Amino acid sequence: MAEDLQDYTVIKEGEAEILMNVKNQVFFNKAQVNNRDLSIAVLRTFISKRQEEHGAMLSKRKKSVEKASEKDASGPAVEEASTESALDNGKSNGECEVHEEISQDEPCSVSEEPVKNSEGNHHGELKPPRVLEALSASGLRALRYAREVEGIGKVVALDNDKASVEACQKNIKFNGSVAISKVESHLADARVYMLTHPKEFDVVDLDPYGSPSVFLDSAVQSVVDGGMLMCTATDMAVLCGGNGEVCPLRGKYCHEMALRILLASIESHANRYKRYIVPVLSVQMNFYVRVFVRVYTSASAMKNTPLKLSYVYQCIGCDSYHLQPIGRTMSKGSSVRYLPGFGPIVPQECSDCGKKYNMGGPIWSAPIHDQEWVTSVLEGVKSMKDQYPAYDRISAVLTTISEELPDVPLFLSLHNLCATLKCTSPSAVIFRSAVINAGYRISGTHVNPLGLKSDAPMD
């Protein structure tokens, strides 16, 4: 081994170390340290949130069992009916049904035997989360997960390149007993592996070189209910409108548009299997976009998907853009009807400048972050700042995200607005003050330092 080490350099990142051959046969991307740090921060938050959700589910079950035992005296028939009503209560609402299903359909997360004990003497045991890194290369990410994230279970690292798998296995041994006990490396096609392991992983991490589209169908099937899918896309030229035949719109908001196109695509793949996504964090950094979404199963909650998607009309003469929701709801008493969206939302010509509109989409128009999650992740990063090599960058990005308006899709550029109006640009502070004084909300965006999100109408 000592002779072999002469051909290698040791690369240390966080607590993990990898051996990199001087010939550099295996792909290693130094710039992705931001990506790996952010993923570790989200994974730590996911583990603590998962623990909280499990505790809430157990206390809910305990209460329903207690209610059933209280009504024991009223006879078996009444008991049966009351237990059924306790379990089915609120299932007409998609949200409630989701939480019930999470507790029932997680083969990897909850060991069944303790939960079956109706006396409540034993708490249901929550197994450590299983993680799948679908495209591992040198295995650095998988090793960092295993060594740095407390409470993590097995980490499965896949690659279909033999040299990468050999390098990964060498790195696992080089990182000692913790890595050896938690990380396993396999030579496999990630798509086939995920398809043959449905609902088996609490976290699936996709970080391909280029577009993730070919992996999404199998990835959404491999995640357990309530699990996390982490997905990176580096094909920014396509997602940002560089190829007109693929993505026709190109505005100043193109990087946020890229995030929303990716989320809409994941939702589309999930819907094919009666599943849907809830984004917790969506980030554009450097040369890529990365999204973190929870995956749930519910046929009734899937009906809400058209409410989360919109087409975009972008004026070719000025910065004006308008969103056309695909669906809408109509409430009558306690029932809700799902209907197609009204349209068109714009006239043939822009009311601000008289030019025509380009049309694009559908994009994800619902919130792309969960503000509670963002706050938790940011607090976790600040409390363990020494453990993040890219602390300065990721804390800055998370702070900006925490200040974004969550319910305003896309944004405007102050410089572009002033170019359209042929006027000198005021400072961002003065412009923001004017919008706030006019009674509207306004914020920056992590995607563009000059971008401004506001609920003020275009005119």
Side-chain angles (χ1 to χ4, degrees), residues 57 60 90-106 225-226 274-276 278 294-302 304:
M57 178 200 73
K60 190 178 176 183
K91 275 204 177 180
S92 58
N93 181 323
E95 288 295 311
C96 299
E97 183 174 347
V98 174
H99 296 305
E100 288 291 332
E101 286 176 356
I102 293 166
S103 63
Q104 291 167 6
D105 200 14
E106 277 191 353
D225 280 354
K274 297 182 183 177
R275 311 193 92 182
Y276 69 99
V278 178
R294 304 285 297 273
V295 181
Y296 297 104
T297 306
S298 171
S300 59
M302 255 178 58
N304 291 315

Side-chain angles (χ1 to χ4, degrees), residues 164-445:
S164 295
V165 174
E166 287 170 1
C168 185
Q169 288 170 347
K170 193 172 285 186
N171 289 327
I172 291 168
K173 289 175 186 172
F174 188 68
N175 277 268
S177 58
V178 174
I180 291 167
S181 65
K182 288 192 174 181
V183 186
E184 55 185 61
S185 178
H186 299 289
L187 178 67
D189 185 318
R191 294 167 295 182
V192 176
Y193 191 92
M194 289 188 288
L195 280 173
T196 51
H197 294 75
K199 291 191 180 180
E200 197 165 305
F201 293 96
D202 299 277
V203 180
V204 171
D205 191 330
L206 287 179
D207 190 359
Y209 186 76
S211 172
S213 57
V214 295
F215 301 101
L216 293 178
D217 200 85
S218 44
V220 294
Q221 296 178 68
S222 191
V223 188
V224 302
D225 280 354
M228 171 87 68
L229 173 61
M230 307 173 170
C231 181
T232 304
T234 60
D235 54 332
M236 295 301 284
V238 172
L239 290 171
C240 290
N243 299 59
E245 71 278 9
V246 182
C247 177
L249 287 189
R250 184 170 174 83
K252 275 290 175 187
Y253 50 65
C254 63
H255 291 98
E256 185 178 324
M257 184 91 161
L259 282 168
R260 294 181 178 276
I261 290 169
L262 178 58
L263 287 169
S265 179
I266 297 172
E267 176 81 350
S268 167
H269 285 281
N271 285 172
R272 295 165 203 177
Y273 307 100
K274 297 182 183 177
R275 311 193 92 182
Y276 69 99
I277 64 167
V278 178
V280 295
L281 178 66
S282 308
V283 183
Q284 188 272 318
M285 290 171 87
N286 303 343
F287 53 88
Y288 60 87
V289 288
R290 180 136 170 104
V291 297
F292 301 85
V293 301
R294 304 285 297 273
V295 181
Y296 297 104
T297 306
S298 171
S300 59
M302 255 178 58
K303 293 176 185 174
N304 291 315
T305 292
L307 310 178
K308 305 175 202 168
L309 304 174
S310 298
Y311 287 99
V312 183
Y313 290 93
Q314 173 64 61
C315 175
I316 61 173
C318 67
D319 250 15
S320 292
Y321 66 86
H322 302 271
L323 270 71
Q324 164 75 65
I326 288 180
R328 61 189 170 91
T329 56
M330 193 168 74
S331 300
K332 194 174 182 181
S334 59
S335 66
V336 177
R337 285 183 66 201
Y338 293 85
L339 301 164
F342 285 129
I345 201 165
V346 291
Q348 282 284 310
E349 285 157 4
C350 176
S351 55
D352 298 313
C353 71
K355 297 283 175 67
K356 299 280 187 187
Y357 287 99
N358 279 337
M359 182 182 169
I363 64 164
W364 181 272
S365 53
I368 60 174
H369 316 291
D370 181 320
Q371 291 299 327
E372 189 194 334
W373 268 76
V374 175
T375 305
S376 299
V377 174
L378 183 56
E379 285 171 358
V381 168
K382 285 180 176 175
S383 69
M384 305 171 79
K385 62 192 299 183
D386 298 338
Q387 296 188 30
Y388 294 100
Y391 169 77
D392 292 341
R393 181 72 202 279
I394 64 167
S395 62
V397 169
L398 287 166
T399 302
T400 313
I401 289 172
S402 69
E403 295 164 359
E404 279 183 20
L405 288 176
D407 54 344
V408 177
L410 308 180
F411 58 86
L412 295 161
S413 162
L414 181 55
H415 288 187
N416 271 37
L417 283 176
C418 295
T420 302
L421 298 168
K422 296 182 174 57
C423 67
T424 307
S425 176
S427 73
V429 174
I430 291 172
F431 185 81
R432 284 190 186 202
S433 300
V435 173
I436 291 165
N437 284 324
Y440 300 106
R441 295 176 301 146
I442 190 166
S443 78
T445 169

Side-chain angles (χ1 to χ4, degrees), residues 54 57-58 61 65 103-104 110-125:
H54 181 69
M57 178 200 73
L58 284 180
R61 278 190 174 182
V65 168
S103 63
Q104 291 167 6
V110 185
S111 64
E112 306 230 338
E113 287 171 21
V115 175
K116 283 179 184 171
N117 189 326
S118 59
E119 299 302 316
N121 295 331
H122 302 286
H123 293 295
E125 183 194 337

